[in-house]
Amino acid sequence: MTIQSLEWNTLKAHLEPYAKTQKGRELIQALEVFKRPEMASQSMHEIAAAKNWIERHPHPDFGSFFDVASQLKDLKIERVISISDHLKVLHFLKGIDRLIVRFKSVPAEINIDSIRPYSLPLDSLKKVRELLALSYEPERVLDSASSELKSTRQLLSKTEKQLNDKLKTIVEKNKADLSEGFFTQRHGRYVLPVKITVKNRFKGSVVDYSASGETVYMEPTDVGDLSAEKRRLEALEAAEIERILQATSALLHDHYEGLNINFQQVTLLDGIFAKAHYALEIDAHPIEFGSHLNLLEARHPFIPIKDVVANTITLSAPHRVMIISGSNTGGKTVVLKTVGMCALMAKAGLLIPASIGSSIPFFEQIYADIGDEQSIEQSLSTFSSHLTQIIEMVNLATAKDLIILDELGSGTDPQAGAALARALMDHFRNLKAHLFVTTHYPDLKAYAYDHEDVLNASVAFDTKTLKPTYQLFLDTPGESHAFLIAERLGLKPNVIMTAQSYLQQASSPVSQLIQTLEEKKVEIEKDRLVLDQQLNKVNKEKADLLQMKTTLQEERRTYKDKLKRQAQLEIESLKEELDATLESLKASSQIKMHEIQAAKALLNSSLESPSSSSSETIGVGDRVEIKKFNRPGQVKAIKKGTYTVIMGNLELKLQKEELIFLRKDVLNIDKDSQVHTPPRKAISAECDLRGLRVEEAQDMLLKYIDDCSVAGVPFVRIIHGFGTLALRKMVKEIVQSSSLVASSRDGQGNEGGNGVTVIYFE
């Protein structure tokens, strides 16, 4: 796998700083690709879970963990470790405890199932942690480490106090014999700075001399016993400290396996979270492994997001080969490196800098030949160096590999190079490998038109700045822009004109075809820009209309609420007035008590507010409003959810949602009158004229109006639609001239609007 030309080590260098532990950084440095797609997919799921955790909830800080690799190495072979080593192990276990708490605090809605197993073996060794916390502080073993140490230190403190008091007394008594009025220590013994002239008469033993020889440091005879006792206690203290260090080191040795598992799990989690932090930095996402290469808005991870140009790079059936052409300014190579890097990152189980929904085959090997590989040491030219690598690919590549070749066939005679490049592409095509090639050769640009599995592509070039735009266009070969670049760089015009004439003389049908395609591409791009502008305009108008609709709906709701409040206030006011009137009638004894109560009940029923009546259950006899006609009616019968409603002389079958409850009432149908009333012809409440010729519709409308008048129908709807407006005009003329019609109006919004005319009869 030729991964160095794709800068794999550079990627690891970018990733490494996100690891916070030394072992985590070493894990990143040793990062390799997986051999099976399921392992790479599992790695992506783990990184995605960590990324999700980082984005939504406080996450672990691996920077707080002490590196205890050397301490674990000593404990494994039962060495006694120092106080500072014990404290490192203690802080490490405290970090493990915080990590366990972090895992437990993640809310259920944040899915970390793929990394939770890493936390299951973690053990903060609570008893060990508590013992270490009671035993050690920086550079000191605590008194609480053992009762023996505590009692020894208490005796030592008492002895030191007695010794200090004794020395102070001696200093005070012998000031005249001392060079200075204090005591000090030399070689672990308390001494006084005695003048050399009184050495022989001062009671004590010589311990040391000053540099000048004028002062002799002597231990007074009177403190000899106390000094000896102090040294004895200090030796006991040191021995007890050593015993404690040995005991706790042995305890940690007994828990070596648990400590080592903790250390390994922290290292693995640090590596996962480092990859997740890097994924956030480059806006990377998981990718699916499949048979097609489909990188959506892919970017090279080394280019800052604010500067990079994203490209959708697709190579799906029947295509397996992409030939990229265009100016020689670096844009094509960026595309090649983006494809290669995304393929490598996917094989390594990293999230890739492409949009969600991207897919790529799990390539067994990735071969890449990119850049100038001229070798002075091996006496190889650029062409030979490239060819050496390509020969290796020819010998080793299979159908399951990705092959990336930059400027295939360059560095030698153009005709021979182009012929060799075509032969190599034939070989790799026959293998069914995925192949990406960049070129300037017209013959290779035309190669795609002769083979259905080959796709042309080009990288756009800004002719004003002489820089690539890094935008990839599929299905279109690109121009080299050699003359334009030469002109902008200052080459004399006469030289350029001569070159252009030579080119025209040597122009091949292939070159002419490519030029024609380029011209078509420019036209298509112009049309696309116009369509984009029109689409943006339509989208803006649509957004404005939606905003207007929302505003009108809000105003309508506000207005309805206002009307309801006003109606409620008026109803309440009217009730108060009626209550007052009834009370005055009651006082005047002009009306009986039960009549007053009945009147109140009737008033409460009649003046019920709209908000309360709308929720009433509709029963037989109730007065209702029929929504689509805006007319009142009375419920005659209810059967299986269908309401039979009497509206004037019409009997309608309606659903509950088509009715508005008005008030309770009792159905009162005179049976005698029903017997003697002659049967009337059933008349529909609406007449639909749509689809008829004007003459047919006119005859039908005149007969319908006569039938409605005889049947005593109060009003009906005439449906004429919009169309050419001929039917509407005819309906208006007949309605206005008919003596049977009292009035008419256009339909409301819920009645059909201007496509309906509502007419009322005498």
Side-chain angles (χ1 to χ4, degrees):
M1 183 179 294
T2 54
I3 62 176
Q4 295 313 315
S5 57
L6 294 173
E7 301 178 276
W8 177 245
N9 287 336
T10 305
L11 175 70
K12 292 192 286 187
H14 279 245
L15 181 54
E16 183 184 330
Y18 292 93
K20 302 303 180 183
T21 66
Q22 178 59 34
K23 284 295 182 181
R25 289 188 287 273
E26 292 175 7
L27 194 68
I28 297 299
Q29 291 167 4
L31 181 65
E32 294 182 353
V33 297
F34 291 103
K35 294 183 178 180
R36 298 202 309 273
E38 56 269 20
M39 297 175 67
S41 295
Q42 176 61 28
S43 173
M44 287 188 212
H45 291 150
E46 292 170 358
I47 298 169
K51 178 171 172 269
N52 188 31
W53 184 350
I54 293 169
E55 290 177 308
R56 301 176 60 189
H57 194 70
H59 56 277
D61 176 18
F62 295 96
S64 63
F65 280 94
F66 280 81
D67 185 357
V68 293
S70 63
Q71 287 75 24
L72 289 175
K73 184 178 179 181
D74 289 339
L75 291 172
K76 185 177 182 180
I77 58 177
E78 298 187 74
R79 281 182 179 170
V80 177
I81 61 175
S82 65
I83 293 173
S84 62
D85 286 341
H86 277 89
L87 288 173
K88 284 185 178 180
V89 174
L90 173 59
H91 287 302
F92 176 75
L93 289 174
K94 286 181 177 179
I96 293 294
D97 189 57
R98 289 192 298 271
L99 182 57
I100 293 171
V101 171
R102 280 282 191 224
F103 266 94
K104 291 180 178 178
S105 71
V106 178
E109 60 268 20
I110 300 178
N111 186 355
I112 60 167
D113 290 347
S114 57
I115 58 173
R116 194 178 294 280
Y118 289 98
S119 70
L120 300 181
L122 295 176
D123 185 356
S124 64
L125 302 175
K126 182 178 180 183
K127 291 184 178 179
V128 174
R129 186 161 38 92
E130 290 174 347
L131 177 62
L132 294 179
L134 286 172
S135 301
Y136 300 103
E137 66 180 10
E139 300 181 1
R140 186 171 185 268
V141 178
L142 295 171
D143 293 351
S144 53
S146 76
S147 58
E148 183 67 24
L149 180 63
K150 183 176 182 180
S151 62
T152 299
R153 282 178 172 171
Q154 287 175 343
L155 288 173
L156 182 59
S157 177
K158 182 179 179 181
T159 301
E160 286 178 336
K161 185 178 184 305
Q162 291 173 349
L163 185 58
N164 285 340
D165 291 344
K166 188 71 174 177
L167 286 167
K168 287 178 182 178
T169 301
I170 294 172
V171 167
E172 191 64 31
K173 287 182 178 181
N174 296 277
K175 280 185 178 181
D177 296 336
L178 302 178
S179 299
E180 295 184 56
F182 61 84
F183 61 88
T184 184
Q185 285 192 51
R186 287 293 173 97
H187 307 299
R189 300 168 71 178
Y190 283 97
V191 296
L192 299 180
V194 180
K195 295 176 181 177
I196 191 68
T197 56
V198 297
K199 178 186 74 168
N200 294 330
R201 64 183 175 83
F202 188 85
K203 294 180 179 181
S205 57
V206 176
V207 176
D208 200 0
Y209 289 90
S210 67
S212 65
E214 296 296 323
T215 301
V216 59
Y217 293 97
M218 301 181 69
E219 181 183 49
T221 303
D222 292 347
V223 300
D225 292 342
L226 286 173
S227 292
E229 178 65 11
K230 177 178 178 294
R231 288 192 295 275
R232 185 184 74 82
L233 291 172
E234 286 175 341
L236 287 175
E237 179 189 29
E240 180 61 14
I241 288 174
E242 182 63 23
R243 187 196 67 78
I244 292 169
L245 287 170
Q246 290 176 352
T248 52
S249 295
L251 177 65
L252 291 175
H253 169 75
D254 293 340
H255 288 87
Y256 169 79
E257 289 300 326
L259 288 168
N260 190 50
I261 289 173
N262 283 338
F263 187 64
Q264 297 302 324
Q265 297 304 103
V266 166
T267 299
L268 293 173
L269 284 168
D270 185 29
I272 291 170
F273 275 83
K275 296 168 187 174
H277 280 289
Y278 183 60
L280 282 170
E281 180 69 23
I282 64 172
D283 190 25
H285 302 279
I287 190 171
E288 296 293 330
F289 290 116
S291 58
H292 303 309
L293 188 149
N294 187 28
L295 301 176
L296 305 175
E297 298 181 322
R299 294 161 279 106
H300 198 283
F302 299 168
I303 305 175
I305 290 180
K306 62 183 179 65
D307 300 325
V308 71
V309 175
N311 279 307
T312 294
I313 307 170
T314 300
L315 200 60
S316 57
H319 302 121
R320 298 180 73 87
V321 179
M322 181 180 291
I323 300 175
I324 307 171
S325 53
S327 297
N328 191 22
T329 49
K332 304 187 299 299
T333 304
V334 170
V335 174
L336 291 186
K337 288 190 173 184
T338 299
V339 173
M341 184 59 76
C342 286
L344 273 176
M345 293 176 74
K347 274 183 69 68
L350 300 174
L351 306 191
I352 70 163
S355 296
I356 296 172
S358 297
S359 63
I360 197 169
F362 187 84
F363 297 109
E364 285 191 357
Q365 295 291 332
I366 299 173
Y367 297 102
D369 177 41
I370 299 175
D372 187 353
E373 298 294 335
Q374 183 170 352
S375 173
I376 296 175
E377 292 180 354
Q378 299 179 25
S379 300
L380 294 176
S381 67
T382 300
F383 176 74
S384 298
S385 180
H386 282 299
L387 194 58
T388 300
Q389 294 196 48
I390 294 172
I391 290 171
E392 181 183 3
M393 299 178 195
V394 170
N395 293 333
L396 299 177
T398 70
K400 298 179 180 179
D401 298 338
L402 170 64
I403 301 166
I404 298 173
L405 301 173
D406 191 18
E407 303 294 351
L408 180 60
S410 63
T412 187
D413 175 75
Q415 288 186 336
L420 181 60
R422 294 184 65 173
L424 287 169
M425 286 198 294
D426 285 342
H427 174 78
F428 292 128
R429 281 181 51 247
N430 291 334
L431 287 179
K432 303 297 184 184
H434 281 76
L435 175 64
F436 283 81
V437 173
T438 64
T439 188
H440 287 287
Y441 293 148
D443 287 352
L444 295 191
K445 297 177 187 179
Y447 186 86
Y449 297 106
D450 296 330
H451 303 89
E452 65 173 6
D453 58 344
V454 182
L455 180 68
N456 255 324
S458 60
V459 176
F461 179 78
D462 189 333
T463 57
K464 294 182 180 179
T465 63
L466 300 185
K467 293 181 180 179
T469 66
Y470 299 100
Q471 274 189 301
L472 182 70
F473 292 95
L474 302 180
D475 292 321
T476 307
E479 291 185 73
S480 295
H481 296 287
F483 296 149
L484 179 61
I485 294 173
E487 179 185 358
R488 294 293 175 85
L489 293 178
L491 186 62
K492 291 183 178 181
N494 63 318
V495 176
I496 295 173
M497 289 177 64
T498 303
Q500 289 173 334
S501 66
Y502 286 148
L503 178 65
Q504 289 173 358
Q505 294 172 15
S507 178
S508 65
V510 172
S511 299
Q512 295 172 1
L513 171 63
I514 292 172
Q515 184 177 356
T516 302
L517 290 173
E518 279 293 313
E519 292 172 355
K520 288 184 177 180
K521 186 185 81 171
V522 172
E523 293 176 3
I524 291 171
E525 184 62 18
K526 288 180 180 179
D527 292 341
R528 187 187 66 79
L529 290 174
V530 172
L531 289 174
D532 285 346
Q533 292 174 354
Q534 292 176 346
L535 181 61
N536 290 335
K537 182 180 178 181
V538 170
N539 288 337
K540 184 179 183 304
E541 291 175 351
K542 180 180 178 181
D544 292 341
L545 288 172
L546 288 173
Q547 181 61 41
M548 185 182 300
K549 179 181 177 182
T550 302
T551 303
L552 289 173
Q553 288 175 338
E554 185 61 32
E555 290 177 353
R556 180 183 178 188
R557 282 194 296 269
T558 303
Y559 185 66
K560 286 179 68 175
D561 291 343
K562 181 179 178 181
L563 289 177
K564 284 182 179 180
R565 287 195 298 271
Q566 290 177 346
Q568 185 65 32
L569 291 173
E570 291 175 2
I571 289 171
E572 293 297 330
S573 175
L574 184 56
K575 281 185 177 181
E576 290 176 2
E577 291 179 10
L578 291 170
D579 284 343
T581 302
L582 289 172
E583 288 298 326
S584 64
L585 289 172
K586 176 181 175 183
S588 64
S589 300
Q590 294 180 3
I591 189 169
K592 296 180 181 179
M593 189 64 188
H594 70 277
E595 293 176 335
I596 293 175
Q597 295 298 332
K600 281 188 174 183
L602 181 59
L603 286 172
N604 287 333
S605 174
S606 299
L607 298 177
E608 192 171 341
S609 66
S611 60
S612 62
S613 64
S614 62
S615 62
E616 288 283 352
T617 300
I618 300 175
V620 175
D622 291 350
R623 298 290 178 176
V624 295
E625 179 181 324
I626 303 164
K627 291 181 182 179
K628 63 182 178 181
F629 296 127
N630 291 326
R631 300 287 291 180
Q634 187 175 24
V635 178
K636 178 182 179 182
I638 304 173
K639 185 177 182 181
K640 294 183 180 180
T642 299
Y643 291 71
T644 302
V645 180
I646 300 170
M647 184 182 72
N649 290 327
L650 293 178
E651 194 171 282
L652 308 173
K653 302 290 186 182
L654 302 167
Q655 300 299 311
K656 184 178 180 181
E657 54 268 21
E658 298 180 89
L659 306 174
I660 299 176
F661 175 82
L662 296 177
R663 68 177 188 275
K664 293 290 183 183
D665 202 347
V666 178
L667 186 65
N668 185 16
I669 301 176
D670 189 344
K671 292 183 179 180
D672 293 335
S673 63
Q674 282 185 317
V675 173
H676 298 290
T677 301
R680 292 179 174 174
K681 181 181 179 180
I683 299 297
S684 173
E686 59 186 31
C687 178
D688 192 347
L689 304 178
R690 290 172 298 181
L692 300 177
R693 296 196 303 273
V694 174
E695 295 77 9
E696 295 173 338
Q698 182 174 342
D699 294 340
M700 182 176 176
L701 178 59
L702 289 171
K703 185 176 185 304
Y704 180 69
I705 291 175
D706 290 341
D707 291 343
C708 290
S709 177
V710 172
V713 176
F715 67 95
V716 291
R717 293 195 313 157
I718 310 300
I719 304 174
H720 43 70
F722 297 93
T724 60
L725 301 180
L727 283 178
R728 184 173 186 271
K729 181 179 179 182
M730 179 273 293
V731 170
K732 296 295 184 184
E733 290 175 352
I734 289 179
V735 167
Q736 290 174 3
S737 62
S738 175
S739 59
L740 301 177
V741 177
S743 62
S744 67
R745 62 175 174 82
D746 289 333
Q748 297 180 0
N750 62 342
E751 295 175 318
N754 291 334
V756 170
T757 298
V758 181
I759 61 176
Y760 296 89
F761 297 95
E762 293 291 351

